[in-house]
């Protein structure tokens, strides 16, 4: 089960979901993968775009954590943290939303 926590497995799971549609983004949204992870401190400090895109409709969805919680009494479960950033036409973020999701 721990193989589900590898970066490759996480990226595969994200590709299986139509991220733009799930987030209500425009249908022409281009999804770009960044293979190099950011450390927790960098994710919280950086307010600029991760890419040099000049798009007037720019968003970022960053997976901040993905954990397997093994429970001998209950059942194993996953917990994932996400950061969604809306830049619009700006080079710095206008909206930042954090969320945690998990299975039980």
């Amino acid at each position: 089960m721990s193989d589900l926590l590898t970066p490759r497995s996480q990226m595969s799971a994200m590709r299986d979901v139509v991220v733009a549609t799930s987030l209500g983004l425009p249908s022409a949204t281009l999804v770009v993968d960044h293979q190099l992870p950011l450390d927790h401190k960098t994710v919280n400090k950086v307010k600029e775009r991760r890419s040099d895109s000049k798009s007037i409709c720019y968003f970022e969805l960053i997976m901040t954590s993905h954990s397997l919680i093994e429970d001998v009494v209950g059942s194993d479960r996953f917990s994932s943290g996400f950061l969604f950033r809306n830049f619009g036409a700006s080079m710095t973020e206008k909206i930042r939303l954090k969320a945690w999701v998990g299975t039980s």
Side-chain angles (χ1 to χ4, degrees), residues 7 12-13 15-16 41 43 62 65 71 86 88 94:
S12 176
R15 284 187 198 102
D16 289 345
K41 290 180 182 179
V43 168
I62 301 170
S65 68
D71 188 344
N86 180 350
K94 294 170 28 176

Side-chain angles (χ1 to χ4, degrees), residues 19-83:
V19 176
T21 303
S22 298
L23 293 173
L25 301 177
S27 61
T29 300
L30 174 65
V31 177
V32 177
D33 297 339
H34 290 279
Q35 298 298 320
L36 298 175
L38 294 175
D39 65 85
H40 183 69
K41 290 180 182 179
T42 301
V43 168
N44 289 323
K45 288 181 184 177
V46 174
K47 305 295 185 214
E48 297 81 26
R49 296 178 180 203
R50 272 196 83 187
S51 82
D52 57 0
S53 169
K54 304 287 190 257
S55 173
I56 61 170
C57 183
Y58 183 89
F59 304 89
E60 290 181 352
L61 177 65
I62 301 170
M63 182 180 282
T64 57
S65 68
H66 189 62
S67 305
L68 169 62
I69 301 162
E70 297 180 281
D71 188 344
V72 294
V73 176
S75 60
D76 295 346
R77 59 195 181 279
F78 285 105
S79 174
S80 300
F82 295 92
L83 173 62

